[in-house]
Amino acid sequence: MAVSILRSGQKTRRFKTLRAIFALLVREMSTTYGKSPGGYFWAIAEPVAGIALLSIAFSLALRSPPLGSNFQIYYATGFLPFIFYREIETKVQASIRFSRKLLFYPCLSYSDSLFARLFLTVMTQLLVFYLVIGGILLTWETRTSITPLYVFSSLSAAVILGIGIGSINCVLTAFAPVWSRIWVVINRPLVIMSGVIFLHDNVPEPWQSYLWWNPLIHVVGEMRRGFYPTYQGEYVYMIYPFAVGLGLTVIGLTLLNRYNRDIVNEL
C-alpha cells in the first residue's frame, strides 16, 4: 500500500514538472518570438546576415576561402556552431532572471525555467541550422559532403559548453552584477578567437598553441570536418570541449541547486 502511494506521488510530481516546463516553454515562445515583429524571422536573419557580410567582405579581398571554394558554406560552418553555443549560454544565464516572479510559486523550480529555455533554444537553433545550410546547398555549388557524426558531435559540444558556462554565469551575475559587463567585453573577440573567420591551422605560433585551449576552436573545427572530407583538422580533440563543458555544467548546476533561492531574492 505504501509503495503504491509513493509511486503515485512520484508520477504526480513528474506530471506537474512536465506541465510546468511546458507552460514556461509556451511563455518563452510568446515572449521571445511572439511579441517581436517578424518573430522567428530574426532568429534566422542574424546568422544569415553575419554569414553574408563575412562572405562579401572576404570575397573582395581573397580569391577563395581558406577552405574549399565557397565562401558561404565556409563561414556558415564556423558561424552557426558559434551562434549555437552563444544563444544557449545567453538563455541559460538569464533563465532565473527571466522567470523570477514565477519562481516564488512553490510548484515551480529554477530547473523548470532552465530546461524550458534550453529546449526551446536548441530546437530553434537546429531549425536555423537546417534552413541556413539547406539554403546554401540549394543555392550554390559548395563541393562539400556532410558527415552527420561530426556535425552531431560539434553541436552537442556547443550545447554542453553553453549549459556549463551559462549556469555559472547565472550565479556570478546574480551576486556580482558587474560580471555581466565584464563577460560582454570578454566575448567580443571570441568570434575571431574561435576559428570562425580564420582556420586554426593557418594561425602562426605561438598564438596557435594558445588558442588551442579555447574549447570553441575544437567545436568549429569538428563542424568543418563534417563538411569537408579532405580537411583533417588534426588539432581537433573533442574530448576536451566535452570534458570542459561537463565539468562546468556540474559546477554550475551544483551552485544553482545550492543558491537558486538566494539568486531569486537577490535579483
Side-chain angles (χ1 to χ4, degrees):
M1 182 68 177
V3 173
S4 62
I5 293 174
L6 179 61
R7 288 178 178 175
S8 176
Q10 290 175 341
K11 289 180 180 179
T12 302
R13 282 195 295 273
R14 289 196 199 103
F15 177 74
K16 288 182 177 179
T17 298
L18 291 174
R19 189 169 61 179
I21 292 174
F22 180 75
L24 289 169
L25 183 64
V26 173
R27 177 176 177 265
E28 171 77 16
M29 290 177 66
S30 63
T31 303
T32 305
Y33 303 108
K35 293 184 178 180
S36 60
Y40 275 92
F41 168 78
W42 296 112
I44 301 170
E46 181 183 2
V48 169
I51 293 165
L53 289 173
L54 288 172
S55 301
I56 293 170
F58 284 93
S59 64
L60 296 175
L62 304 172
R63 296 184 63 181
S64 62
L67 191 63
S69 58
N70 182 269
F71 282 96
Q72 286 77 19
I73 197 67
Y74 172 78
Y75 290 117
T77 53
F79 201 62
L80 289 174
F82 177 80
I83 289 289
F84 215 101
Y85 150 78
R86 192 193 67 182
E87 288 297 309
I88 291 172
E89 187 275 324
T90 302
K91 294 294 185 181
V92 171
Q93 177 181 334
S95 58
I96 292 182
R97 182 183 299 275
F98 179 78
S99 302
R100 177 180 177 271
K101 293 181 180 179
L102 297 176
L103 294 180
F104 285 105
Y105 293 98
C107 59
L108 292 175
S109 69
Y110 78 94
S111 60
D112 297 331
S113 176
L114 191 151
F115 286 126
R117 301 202 95 194
L118 176 62
F119 180 79
L120 179 61
T121 305
V122 170
M123 292 299 103
T124 301
Q125 292 306 310
L126 284 175
L127 176 62
V128 170
F129 183 88
Y130 176 79
L131 292 175
V132 173
I133 293 295
I136 291 173
L137 294 178
L138 288 173
T139 306
W140 287 280
E141 176 57 51
T142 62
R143 299 179 184 178
T144 55
S145 178
I146 300 176
T147 305
L149 182 61
Y150 288 149
V151 174
F152 177 76
S153 174
S154 174
L155 295 181
S156 298
V159 170
I160 294 172
L161 282 169
I163 296 172
I165 296 175
S167 56
I168 289 178
N169 281 342
C170 183
V171 177
L172 292 176
T173 54
F175 294 116
V178 71
W179 174 250
S180 61
R181 297 183 181 180
I182 297 173
W183 185 247
V184 169
V185 174
I186 294 174
N187 266 307
R188 282 175 181 168
L190 200 58
V191 69
I192 298 174
M193 296 171 60
S194 301
V196 173
I197 299 175
F198 304 106
L199 277 181
H200 181 68
D201 313 66
N202 298 336
V203 177
E205 291 288 2
W207 308 110
Q208 187 180 101
S209 298
Y210 297 154
L211 291 177
W212 187 93
W213 295 100
N214 176 6
L216 289 173
I217 279 283
H218 304 268
V219 173
V220 172
E222 182 81 340
M223 180 61 72
R224 291 200 166 119
R225 289 172 62 187
F227 279 80
Y228 297 95
T230 59
Y231 180 57
Q232 297 298 317
E234 295 179 355
Y235 64 90
V236 176
Y237 185 62
M238 288 306 291
I239 293 177
Y240 175 61
F242 276 110
V244 171
L246 287 172
L248 293 176
T249 298
V250 170
I251 295 172
L253 294 182
T254 301
L255 291 173
L256 283 176
N257 189 58
R258 170 64 179 83
Y259 296 108
N260 66 88
R261 284 296 165 191
D262 296 328
I263 293 172
V264 170
N265 293 326
E266 189 75 22
L267 293 174

